[in-house]
Amino acid sequence: MTNGIRTRIYILQVGLIGVFAFCSVLLFAGGSFVHGMITDQLSAQKISFPAAGSPGLSATEFPDLQKYAGQPVDDGIKAEAYANGFINRHLQTVAGGLTYAEMSAKAQAAPTDTKLAGQVNTLFKGEMLRGTLLNTYGWWTVGSYATLAGIGLAVAAGAVLVALLVEIYLAIKAREVRPLTVPKKAFAS
């Protein structure tokens, strides 16, 4: 390998290390920001799962949510569990499983029906909260993937750094082993 090619390889490796490390830091920062923001915002809302053994979290009705009993909803995983496992089950009982859109159409056809109006109001609030919590879960997942990608790029930067160090070591080793040669012109008369 010529010195010119070796130099180009070194430059490429140093460039890759820089790009991978920079992107890794950005992804770590992005993932950390997303998780921190979600935790802060959910904690401020003070949403919690009902306590274990309480009528609000019956083990027969909510077997999948027992592991969250009494815990605050402070991350995306809990937000998704609360939205789908808790709110959605309650919404199913409000109007026989009908959605806000379906009940709203009925309420518009019967504007004096207060029971129907109350169901529409409850469904709207519940579906909005559920949608917001599911959006939170989606962004939590994006933050998790960003963090994982940051780890992957940090590992890639480390691998390229190791390859660079091996290349430098081998180049130094090759210079030490190279036999001393004397040009033929030195003995020419």
PDB file of all heavy atoms in Angstrom, residues 47 79-80 82-94 98-101 117-135:
ATOM      1  N   ILE A  47     -51.214  12.113  36.936  1.00  0.00           N
ATOM      2  CA  ILE A  47     -52.087  10.986  36.592  1.00  0.00           C
ATOM      3  C   ILE A  47     -51.489   9.749  37.240  1.00  0.00           C
ATOM      4  O   ILE A  47     -50.287   9.504  37.117  1.00  0.00           O
ATOM      5  CB  ILE A  47     -52.167  10.778  35.067  1.00  0.00           C
ATOM      6  CG1 ILE A  47     -52.668  12.040  34.378  1.00  0.00           C
ATOM      7  CG2 ILE A  47     -53.039   9.585  34.723  1.00  0.00           C
ATOM      8  CD1 ILE A  47     -52.514  12.022  32.864  1.00  0.00           C
ATOM      9  N   ALA A  79     -48.010   5.485  29.927  1.00  0.00           N
ATOM     10  CA  ALA A  79     -49.030   6.283  29.228  1.00  0.00           C
ATOM     11  C   ALA A  79     -49.828   5.400  28.272  1.00  0.00           C
ATOM     12  O   ALA A  79     -51.053   5.500  28.197  1.00  0.00           O
ATOM     13  CB  ALA A  79     -48.372   7.435  28.473  1.00  0.00           C
ATOM     14  N   GLU A  80     -49.129   4.525  27.556  1.00  0.00           N
ATOM     15  CA  GLU A  80     -49.820   3.617  26.630  1.00  0.00           C
ATOM     16  C   GLU A  80     -50.705   2.636  27.391  1.00  0.00           C
ATOM     17  O   GLU A  80     -51.843   2.371  27.006  1.00  0.00           O
ATOM     18  CB  GLU A  80     -48.781   2.864  25.789  1.00  0.00           C
ATOM     19  CG  GLU A  80     -49.367   2.089  24.629  1.00  0.00           C
ATOM     20  CD  GLU A  80     -49.638   0.638  24.959  1.00  0.00           C
ATOM     21  OE1 GLU A  80     -49.088   0.120  25.947  1.00  0.00           O
ATOM     22  OE2 GLU A  80     -50.418   0.008  24.217  1.00  0.00           O
ATOM     23  N   TYR A  82     -52.071   3.082  30.367  1.00  0.00           N
ATOM     24  CA  TYR A  82     -53.198   3.826  30.928  1.00  0.00           C
ATOM     25  C   TYR A  82     -54.230   4.152  29.842  1.00  0.00           C
ATOM     26  O   TYR A  82     -55.434   4.015  30.052  1.00  0.00           O
ATOM     27  CB  TYR A  82     -52.692   5.108  31.589  1.00  0.00           C
ATOM     28  CG  TYR A  82     -53.681   5.772  32.512  1.00  0.00           C
ATOM     29  CD1 TYR A  82     -53.769   5.407  33.847  1.00  0.00           C
ATOM     30  CD2 TYR A  82     -54.525   6.775  32.049  1.00  0.00           C
ATOM     31  CE1 TYR A  82     -54.675   6.021  34.705  1.00  0.00           C
ATOM     32  CE2 TYR A  82     -55.427   7.393  32.895  1.00  0.00           C
ATOM     33  CZ  TYR A  82     -55.498   7.006  34.222  1.00  0.00           C
ATOM     34  OH  TYR A  82     -56.404   7.618  35.066  1.00  0.00           O
ATOM     35  N   ALA A  83     -53.727   4.575  28.667  1.00  0.00           N
ATOM     36  CA  ALA A  83     -54.625   4.949  27.570  1.00  0.00           C
ATOM     37  C   ALA A  83     -55.424   3.762  27.060  1.00  0.00           C
ATOM     38  O   ALA A  83     -56.652   3.842  26.923  1.00  0.00           O
ATOM     39  CB  ALA A  83     -53.827   5.561  26.424  1.00  0.00           C
ATOM     40  N   ASN A  84     -54.743   2.672  26.760  1.00  0.00           N
ATOM     41  CA  ASN A  84     -55.434   1.523  26.168  1.00  0.00           C
ATOM     42  C   ASN A  84     -56.063   0.599  27.201  1.00  0.00           C
ATOM     43  O   ASN A  84     -57.145   0.068  26.986  1.00  0.00           O
ATOM     44  CB  ASN A  84     -54.470   0.721  25.283  1.00  0.00           C
ATOM     45  CG  ASN A  84     -54.211   1.415  23.975  1.00  0.00           C
ATOM     46  OD1 ASN A  84     -55.013   2.210  23.503  1.00  0.00           O
ATOM     47  ND2 ASN A  84     -53.079   1.132  23.379  1.00  0.00           N
ATOM     48  N   GLY A  85     -55.370   0.399  28.315  1.00  0.00           N
ATOM     49  CA  GLY A  85     -55.858  -0.558  29.296  1.00  0.00           C
ATOM     50  C   GLY A  85     -56.863   0.006  30.275  1.00  0.00           C
ATOM     51  O   GLY A  85     -57.723  -0.719  30.776  1.00  0.00           O
ATOM     52  N   PHE A  86     -56.775   1.294  30.568  1.00  0.00           N
ATOM     53  CA  PHE A  86     -57.637   1.886  31.586  1.00  0.00           C
ATOM     54  C   PHE A  86     -58.715   2.780  30.953  1.00  0.00           C
ATOM     55  O   PHE A  86     -59.906   2.507  31.076  1.00  0.00           O
ATOM     56  CB  PHE A  86     -56.793   2.660  32.593  1.00  0.00           C
ATOM     57  CG  PHE A  86     -57.522   3.038  33.837  1.00  0.00           C
ATOM     58  CD1 PHE A  86     -57.874   2.075  34.780  1.00  0.00           C
ATOM     59  CD2 PHE A  86     -57.854   4.352  34.101  1.00  0.00           C
ATOM     60  CE1 PHE A  86     -58.551   2.412  35.938  1.00  0.00           C
ATOM     61  CE2 PHE A  86     -58.522   4.707  35.252  1.00  0.00           C
ATOM     62  CZ  PHE A  86     -58.873   3.747  36.181  1.00  0.00           C
ATOM     63  N   ILE A  87     -58.293   3.825  30.262  1.00  0.00           N
ATOM     64  CA  ILE A  87     -59.270   4.766  29.687  1.00  0.00           C
ATOM     65  C   ILE A  87     -60.140   4.079  28.639  1.00  0.00           C
ATOM     66  O   ILE A  87     -61.364   4.220  28.652  1.00  0.00           O
ATOM     67  CB  ILE A  87     -58.552   5.990  29.071  1.00  0.00           C
ATOM     68  CG1 ILE A  87     -57.879   6.809  30.157  1.00  0.00           C
ATOM     69  CG2 ILE A  87     -59.533   6.853  28.282  1.00  0.00           C
ATOM     70  CD1 ILE A  87     -57.028   7.949  29.635  1.00  0.00           C
ATOM     71  N   ASN A  88     -59.523   3.342  27.731  1.00  0.00           N
ATOM     72  CA  ASN A  88     -60.295   2.732  26.647  1.00  0.00           C
ATOM     73  C   ASN A  88     -61.349   1.764  27.187  1.00  0.00           C
ATOM     74  O   ASN A  88     -62.459   1.701  26.662  1.00  0.00           O
ATOM     75  CB  ASN A  88     -59.365   2.028  25.653  1.00  0.00           C
ATOM     76  CG  ASN A  88     -60.081   1.678  24.371  1.00  0.00           C
ATOM     77  OD1 ASN A  88     -60.861   2.473  23.843  1.00  0.00           O
ATOM     78  ND2 ASN A  88     -59.834   0.489  23.868  1.00  0.00           N
ATOM     79  N   ARG A  89     -61.005   0.998  28.223  1.00  0.00           N
ATOM     80  CA  ARG A  89     -62.000   0.078  28.796  1.00  0.00           C
ATOM     81  C   ARG A  89     -63.172   0.847  29.402  1.00  0.00           C
ATOM     82  O   ARG A  89     -64.317   0.410  29.301  1.00  0.00           O
ATOM     83  CB  ARG A  89     -61.349  -0.828  29.838  1.00  0.00           C
ATOM     84  CG  ARG A  89     -60.488  -1.885  29.202  1.00  0.00           C
ATOM     85  CD  ARG A  89     -60.054  -2.921  30.212  1.00  0.00           C
ATOM     86  NE  ARG A  89     -59.099  -3.825  29.606  1.00  0.00           N
ATOM     87  CZ  ARG A  89     -57.959  -4.194  30.172  1.00  0.00           C
ATOM     88  NH1 ARG A  89     -57.631  -3.757  31.368  1.00  0.00           N
ATOM     89  NH2 ARG A  89     -57.151  -5.011  29.547  1.00  0.00           N
ATOM     90  N   HIS A  90     -62.878   1.976  30.035  1.00  0.00           N
ATOM     91  CA  HIS A  90     -63.963   2.786  30.579  1.00  0.00           C
ATOM     92  C   HIS A  90     -64.811   3.398  29.462  1.00  0.00           C
ATOM     93  O   HIS A  90     -66.033   3.485  29.583  1.00  0.00           O
ATOM     94  CB  HIS A  90     -63.415   3.875  31.503  1.00  0.00           C
ATOM     95  CG  HIS A  90     -63.015   3.362  32.844  1.00  0.00           C
ATOM     96  ND1 HIS A  90     -61.723   3.084  33.173  1.00  0.00           N
ATOM     97  CD2 HIS A  90     -63.756   3.057  33.937  1.00  0.00           C
ATOM     98  CE1 HIS A  90     -61.674   2.636  34.418  1.00  0.00           C
ATOM     99  NE2 HIS A  90     -62.890   2.605  34.898  1.00  0.00           N
ATOM    100  N   LEU A  91     -64.162   3.821  28.395  1.00  0.00           N
ATOM    101  CA  LEU A  91     -64.906   4.415  27.283  1.00  0.00           C
ATOM    102  C   LEU A  91     -65.856   3.404  26.641  1.00  0.00           C
ATOM    103  O   LEU A  91     -66.931   3.788  26.158  1.00  0.00           O
ATOM    104  CB  LEU A  91     -63.939   4.973  26.229  1.00  0.00           C
ATOM    105  CG  LEU A  91     -63.159   6.220  26.623  1.00  0.00           C
ATOM    106  CD1 LEU A  91     -62.148   6.582  25.544  1.00  0.00           C
ATOM    107  CD2 LEU A  91     -64.091   7.390  26.901  1.00  0.00           C
ATOM    108  N   GLN A  92     -65.475   2.154  26.654  1.00  0.00           N
ATOM    109  CA  GLN A  92     -66.326   1.116  26.060  1.00  0.00           C
ATOM    110  C   GLN A  92     -67.654   0.976  26.804  1.00  0.00           C
ATOM    111  O   GLN A  92     -68.651   0.534  26.227  1.00  0.00           O
ATOM    112  CB  GLN A  92     -65.601  -0.238  26.050  1.00  0.00           C
ATOM    113  CG  GLN A  92     -64.353  -0.279  25.184  1.00  0.00           C
ATOM    114  CD  GLN A  92     -64.632   0.067  23.738  1.00  0.00           C
ATOM    115  OE1 GLN A  92     -65.549  -0.458  23.129  1.00  0.00           O
ATOM    116  NE2 GLN A  92     -63.853   0.981  23.201  1.00  0.00           N
ATOM    117  N   THR A  93     -67.686   1.373  28.070  1.00  0.00           N
ATOM    118  CA  THR A  93     -68.906   1.237  28.869  1.00  0.00           C
ATOM    119  C   THR A  93     -69.805   2.475  28.802  1.00  0.00           C
ATOM    120  O   THR A  93     -70.944   2.421  29.241  1.00  0.00           O
ATOM    121  CB  THR A  93     -68.557   0.965  30.348  1.00  0.00           C
ATOM    122  OG1 THR A  93     -67.880   2.091  30.894  1.00  0.00           O
ATOM    123  CG2 THR A  93     -67.683  -0.276  30.481  1.00  0.00           C
ATOM    124  N   VAL A  94     -69.310   3.571  28.279  1.00  0.00           N
ATOM    125  CA  VAL A  94     -70.073   4.824  28.285  1.00  0.00           C
ATOM    126  C   VAL A  94     -71.305   4.734  27.377  1.00  0.00           C
ATOM    127  O   VAL A  94     -72.407   5.117  27.767  1.00  0.00           O
ATOM    128  CB  VAL A  94     -69.185   6.019  27.862  1.00  0.00           C
ATOM    129  CG1 VAL A  94     -70.012   7.283  27.660  1.00  0.00           C
ATOM    130  CG2 VAL A  94     -68.103   6.254  28.892  1.00  0.00           C
ATOM    131  N   LEU A  98     -69.724   2.505  21.468  1.00  0.00           N
ATOM    132  CA  LEU A  98     -69.711   3.474  20.369  1.00  0.00           C
ATOM    133  C   LEU A  98     -68.679   4.564  20.642  1.00  0.00           C
ATOM    134  O   LEU A  98     -68.395   4.900  21.791  1.00  0.00           O
ATOM    135  CB  LEU A  98     -71.091   4.102  20.197  1.00  0.00           C
ATOM    136  CG  LEU A  98     -72.211   3.141  19.760  1.00  0.00           C
ATOM    137  CD1 LEU A  98     -73.548   3.875  19.700  1.00  0.00           C
ATOM    138  CD2 LEU A  98     -71.895   2.505  18.425  1.00  0.00           C
ATOM    139  N   THR A  99     -68.135   5.119  19.587  1.00  0.00           N
ATOM    140  CA  THR A  99     -67.109   6.153  19.712  1.00  0.00           C
ATOM    141  C   THR A  99     -67.736   7.543  19.796  1.00  0.00           C
ATOM    142  O   THR A  99     -68.947   7.716  19.573  1.00  0.00           O
ATOM    143  CB  THR A  99     -66.159   6.130  18.505  1.00  0.00           C
ATOM    144  OG1 THR A  99     -66.908   6.491  17.337  1.00  0.00           O
ATOM    145  CG2 THR A  99     -65.515   4.769  18.328  1.00  0.00           C
ATOM    146  N   TYR A 100     -66.883   8.538  20.055  1.00  0.00           N
ATOM    147  CA  TYR A 100     -67.340   9.926  20.094  1.00  0.00           C
ATOM    148  C   TYR A 100     -67.979  10.308  18.761  1.00  0.00           C
ATOM    149  O   TYR A 100     -69.050  10.933  18.736  1.00  0.00           O
ATOM    150  CB  TYR A 100     -66.176  10.859  20.415  1.00  0.00           C
ATOM    151  CG  TYR A 100     -66.486  12.294  20.093  1.00  0.00           C
ATOM    152  CD1 TYR A 100     -67.316  13.050  20.914  1.00  0.00           C
ATOM    153  CD2 TYR A 100     -65.978  12.890  18.941  1.00  0.00           C
ATOM    154  CE1 TYR A 100     -67.621  14.359  20.609  1.00  0.00           C
ATOM    155  CE2 TYR A 100     -66.287  14.211  18.626  1.00  0.00           C
ATOM    156  CZ  TYR A 100     -67.110  14.938  19.463  1.00  0.00           C
ATOM    157  OH  TYR A 100     -67.432  16.235  19.155  1.00  0.00           O
ATOM    158  N   ALA A 101     -67.323   9.956  17.669  1.00  0.00           N
ATOM    159  CA  ALA A 101     -67.845  10.335  16.347  1.00  0.00           C
ATOM    160  C   ALA A 101     -69.245   9.753  16.119  1.00  0.00           C
ATOM    161  O   ALA A 101     -70.134  10.442  15.608  1.00  0.00           O
ATOM    162  CB  ALA A 101     -66.885   9.879  15.255  1.00  0.00           C
ATOM    163  N   ALA A 117     -76.082  13.916  25.283  1.00  0.00           N
ATOM    164  CA  ALA A 117     -75.101  15.007  25.321  1.00  0.00           C
ATOM    165  C   ALA A 117     -74.021  14.716  26.375  1.00  0.00           C
ATOM    166  O   ALA A 117     -72.832  14.977  26.145  1.00  0.00           O
ATOM    167  CB  ALA A 117     -75.789  16.337  25.617  1.00  0.00           C
ATOM    168  N   GLY A 118     -74.416  14.168  27.510  1.00  0.00           N
ATOM    169  CA  GLY A 118     -73.460  13.813  28.554  1.00  0.00           C
ATOM    170  C   GLY A 118     -72.514  12.705  28.095  1.00  0.00           C
ATOM    171  O   GLY A 118     -71.304  12.742  28.377  1.00  0.00           O
ATOM    172  N   GLN A 119     -73.058  11.724  27.385  1.00  0.00           N
ATOM    173  CA  GLN A 119     -72.225  10.639  26.859  1.00  0.00           C
ATOM    174  C   GLN A 119     -71.225  11.183  25.827  1.00  0.00           C
ATOM    175  O   GLN A 119     -70.051  10.796  25.832  1.00  0.00           O
ATOM    176  CB  GLN A 119     -73.094   9.551  26.232  1.00  0.00           C
ATOM    177  CG  GLN A 119     -73.881   8.739  27.231  1.00  0.00           C
ATOM    178  CD  GLN A 119     -74.844   7.778  26.565  1.00  0.00           C
ATOM    179  OE1 GLN A 119     -75.472   8.101  25.554  1.00  0.00           O
ATOM    180  NE2 GLN A 119     -74.978   6.590  27.153  1.00  0.00           N
ATOM    181  N   VAL A 120     -71.696  12.071  24.964  1.00  0.00           N
ATOM    182  CA  VAL A 120     -70.817  12.670  23.953  1.00  0.00           C
ATOM    183  C   VAL A 120     -69.696  13.448  24.642  1.00  0.00           C
ATOM    184  O   VAL A 120     -68.522  13.345  24.252  1.00  0.00           O
ATOM    185  CB  VAL A 120     -71.628  13.581  23.001  1.00  0.00           C
ATOM    186  CG1 VAL A 120     -70.711  14.447  22.150  1.00  0.00           C
ATOM    187  CG2 VAL A 120     -72.542  12.749  22.118  1.00  0.00           C
ATOM    188  N   ASN A 121     -70.032  14.212  25.673  1.00  0.00           N
ATOM    189  CA  ASN A 121     -69.042  14.990  26.409  1.00  0.00           C
ATOM    190  C   ASN A 121     -68.000  14.067  27.061  1.00  0.00           C
ATOM    191  O   ASN A 121     -66.797  14.316  26.981  1.00  0.00           O
ATOM    192  CB  ASN A 121     -69.744  15.849  27.464  1.00  0.00           C
ATOM    193  CG  ASN A 121     -68.800  16.822  28.134  1.00  0.00           C
ATOM    194  OD1 ASN A 121     -67.822  17.259  27.551  1.00  0.00           O
ATOM    195  ND2 ASN A 121     -69.105  17.161  29.375  1.00  0.00           N
ATOM    196  N   THR A 122     -68.467  13.001  27.699  1.00  0.00           N
ATOM    197  CA  THR A 122     -67.557  12.052  28.348  1.00  0.00           C
ATOM    198  C   THR A 122     -66.661  11.369  27.320  1.00  0.00           C
ATOM    199  O   THR A 122     -65.447  11.235  27.526  1.00  0.00           O
ATOM    200  CB  THR A 122     -68.356  10.996  29.132  1.00  0.00           C
ATOM    201  OG1 THR A 122     -69.126  11.665  30.140  1.00  0.00           O
ATOM    202  CG2 THR A 122     -67.441   9.968  29.777  1.00  0.00           C
ATOM    203  N   LEU A 123     -67.241  10.939  26.210  1.00  0.00           N
ATOM    204  CA  LEU A 123     -66.456  10.277  25.164  1.00  0.00           C
ATOM    205  C   LEU A 123     -65.421  11.227  24.565  1.00  0.00           C
ATOM    206  O   LEU A 123     -64.281  10.822  24.303  1.00  0.00           O
ATOM    207  CB  LEU A 123     -67.371   9.731  24.070  1.00  0.00           C
ATOM    208  CG  LEU A 123     -68.163   8.483  24.446  1.00  0.00           C
ATOM    209  CD1 LEU A 123     -69.217   8.190  23.391  1.00  0.00           C
ATOM    210  CD2 LEU A 123     -67.249   7.292  24.639  1.00  0.00           C
ATOM    211  N   PHE A 124     -65.818  12.482  24.355  1.00  0.00           N
ATOM    212  CA  PHE A 124     -64.873  13.442  23.791  1.00  0.00           C
ATOM    213  C   PHE A 124     -63.668  13.628  24.715  1.00  0.00           C
ATOM    214  O   PHE A 124     -62.519  13.548  24.276  1.00  0.00           O
ATOM    215  CB  PHE A 124     -65.557  14.792  23.538  1.00  0.00           C
ATOM    216  CG  PHE A 124     -64.615  15.843  23.043  1.00  0.00           C
ATOM    217  CD1 PHE A 124     -64.209  15.836  21.714  1.00  0.00           C
ATOM    218  CD2 PHE A 124     -64.116  16.815  23.891  1.00  0.00           C
ATOM    219  CE1 PHE A 124     -63.320  16.798  21.244  1.00  0.00           C
ATOM    220  CE2 PHE A 124     -63.228  17.774  23.432  1.00  0.00           C
ATOM    221  CZ  PHE A 124     -62.826  17.764  22.106  1.00  0.00           C
ATOM    222  N   LYS A 125     -63.930  13.873  25.983  1.00  0.00           N
ATOM    223  CA  LYS A 125     -62.830  14.075  26.937  1.00  0.00           C
ATOM    224  C   LYS A 125     -61.965  12.825  27.051  1.00  0.00           C
ATOM    225  O   LYS A 125     -60.728  12.916  27.060  1.00  0.00           O
ATOM    226  CB  LYS A 125     -63.392  14.458  28.298  1.00  0.00           C
ATOM    227  CG  LYS A 125     -63.984  15.842  28.341  1.00  0.00           C
ATOM    228  CD  LYS A 125     -64.610  16.125  29.692  1.00  0.00           C
ATOM    229  CE  LYS A 125     -65.300  17.464  29.719  1.00  0.00           C
ATOM    230  NZ  LYS A 125     -65.991  17.692  30.999  1.00  0.00           N
ATOM    231  N   GLY A 126     -62.601  11.681  27.145  1.00  0.00           N
ATOM    232  CA  GLY A 126     -61.850  10.433  27.290  1.00  0.00           C
ATOM    233  C   GLY A 126     -61.006  10.119  26.066  1.00  0.00           C
ATOM    234  O   GLY A 126     -59.845   9.717  26.184  1.00  0.00           O
ATOM    235  N   GLU A 127     -61.586  10.306  24.882  1.00  0.00           N
ATOM    236  CA  GLU A 127     -60.837  10.017  23.657  1.00  0.00           C
ATOM    237  C   GLU A 127     -59.713  11.027  23.437  1.00  0.00           C
ATOM    238  O   GLU A 127     -58.650  10.666  22.914  1.00  0.00           O
ATOM    239  CB  GLU A 127     -61.773   9.951  22.455  1.00  0.00           C
ATOM    240  CG  GLU A 127     -62.635   8.687  22.468  1.00  0.00           C
ATOM    241  CD  GLU A 127     -63.524   8.528  21.248  1.00  0.00           C
ATOM    242  OE1 GLU A 127     -63.291   9.208  20.223  1.00  0.00           O
ATOM    243  OE2 GLU A 127     -64.458   7.714  21.317  1.00  0.00           O
ATOM    244  N   MET A 128     -59.927  12.268  23.836  1.00  0.00           N
ATOM    245  CA  MET A 128     -58.855  13.268  23.720  1.00  0.00           C
ATOM    246  C   MET A 128     -57.701  12.924  24.659  1.00  0.00           C
ATOM    247  O   MET A 128     -56.533  12.982  24.262  1.00  0.00           O
ATOM    248  CB  MET A 128     -59.382  14.673  24.020  1.00  0.00           C
ATOM    249  CG  MET A 128     -60.233  15.247  22.906  1.00  0.00           C
ATOM    250  SD  MET A 128     -59.380  15.373  21.326  1.00  0.00           S
ATOM    251  CE  MET A 128     -58.122  16.551  21.703  1.00  0.00           C
ATOM    252  N   LEU A 129     -58.018  12.566  25.898  1.00  0.00           N
ATOM    253  CA  LEU A 129     -56.967  12.190  26.839  1.00  0.00           C
ATOM    254  C   LEU A 129     -56.260  10.926  26.359  1.00  0.00           C
ATOM    255  O   LEU A 129     -55.027  10.846  26.380  1.00  0.00           O
ATOM    256  CB  LEU A 129     -57.549  11.974  28.238  1.00  0.00           C
ATOM    257  CG  LEU A 129     -56.554  11.545  29.316  1.00  0.00           C
ATOM    258  CD1 LEU A 129     -55.402  12.538  29.427  1.00  0.00           C
ATOM    259  CD2 LEU A 129     -57.255  11.402  30.655  1.00  0.00           C
ATOM    260  N   ARG A 130     -57.025   9.967  25.899  1.00  0.00           N
ATOM    261  CA  ARG A 130     -56.431   8.728  25.391  1.00  0.00           C
ATOM    262  C   ARG A 130     -55.511   9.020  24.201  1.00  0.00           C
ATOM    263  O   ARG A 130     -54.387   8.523  24.122  1.00  0.00           O
ATOM    264  CB  ARG A 130     -57.528   7.740  24.981  1.00  0.00           C
ATOM    265  CG  ARG A 130     -56.983   6.438  24.457  1.00  0.00           C
ATOM    266  CD  ARG A 130     -58.126   5.408  24.233  1.00  0.00           C
ATOM    267  NE  ARG A 130     -57.559   4.218  23.668  1.00  0.00           N
ATOM    268  CZ  ARG A 130     -57.574   3.911  22.370  1.00  0.00           C
ATOM    269  NH1 ARG A 130     -58.179   4.721  21.511  1.00  0.00           N
ATOM    270  NH2 ARG A 130     -57.016   2.813  21.922  1.00  0.00           N
ATOM    271  N   GLY A 131     -55.979   9.850  23.274  1.00  0.00           N
ATOM    272  CA  GLY A 131     -55.173  10.205  22.103  1.00  0.00           C
ATOM    273  C   GLY A 131     -53.892  10.929  22.493  1.00  0.00           C
ATOM    274  O   GLY A 131     -52.818  10.674  21.932  1.00  0.00           O
ATOM    275  N   THR A 132     -53.988  11.810  23.469  1.00  0.00           N
ATOM    276  CA  THR A 132     -52.804  12.541  23.933  1.00  0.00           C
ATOM    277  C   THR A 132     -51.795  11.588  24.574  1.00  0.00           C
ATOM    278  O   THR A 132     -50.592  11.683  24.319  1.00  0.00           O
ATOM    279  CB  THR A 132     -53.219  13.635  24.931  1.00  0.00           C
ATOM    280  OG1 THR A 132     -54.140  14.518  24.280  1.00  0.00           O
ATOM    281  CG2 THR A 132     -52.029  14.422  25.428  1.00  0.00           C
ATOM    282  N   LEU A 133     -52.289  10.666  25.383  1.00  0.00           N
ATOM    283  CA  LEU A 133     -51.391   9.700  26.017  1.00  0.00           C
ATOM    284  C   LEU A 133     -50.762   8.760  24.988  1.00  0.00           C
ATOM    285  O   LEU A 133     -49.596   8.384  25.110  1.00  0.00           O
ATOM    286  CB  LEU A 133     -52.130   8.907  27.095  1.00  0.00           C
ATOM    287  CG  LEU A 133     -52.478   9.708  28.354  1.00  0.00           C
ATOM    288  CD1 LEU A 133     -53.392   8.887  29.269  1.00  0.00           C
ATOM    289  CD2 LEU A 133     -51.230  10.149  29.088  1.00  0.00           C
ATOM    290  N   LEU A 134     -51.516   8.383  23.967  1.00  0.00           N
ATOM    291  CA  LEU A 134     -50.941   7.527  22.920  1.00  0.00           C
ATOM    292  C   LEU A 134     -49.908   8.299  22.096  1.00  0.00           C
ATOM    293  O   LEU A 134     -48.906   7.727  21.656  1.00  0.00           O
ATOM    294  CB  LEU A 134     -52.042   6.952  22.030  1.00  0.00           C
ATOM    295  CG  LEU A 134     -52.912   5.896  22.707  1.00  0.00           C
ATOM    296  CD1 LEU A 134     -54.059   5.482  21.794  1.00  0.00           C
ATOM    297  CD2 LEU A 134     -52.097   4.684  23.137  1.00  0.00           C
ATOM    298  N   ASN A 135     -50.137   9.586  21.894  1.00  0.00           N
ATOM    299  CA  ASN A 135     -49.146  10.428  21.226  1.00  0.00           C
ATOM    300  C   ASN A 135     -47.868  10.491  22.072  1.00  0.00           C
ATOM    301  O   ASN A 135     -46.755  10.425  21.544  1.00  0.00           O
ATOM    302  CB  ASN A 135     -49.721  11.829  21.001  1.00  0.00           C
ATOM    303  CG  ASN A 135     -48.845  12.676  20.121  1.00  0.00           C
ATOM    304  OD1 ASN A 135     -48.098  12.187  19.286  1.00  0.00           O
ATOM    305  ND2 ASN A 135     -48.923  13.980  20.313  1.00  0.00           N
TER     306      ASN A 135
END
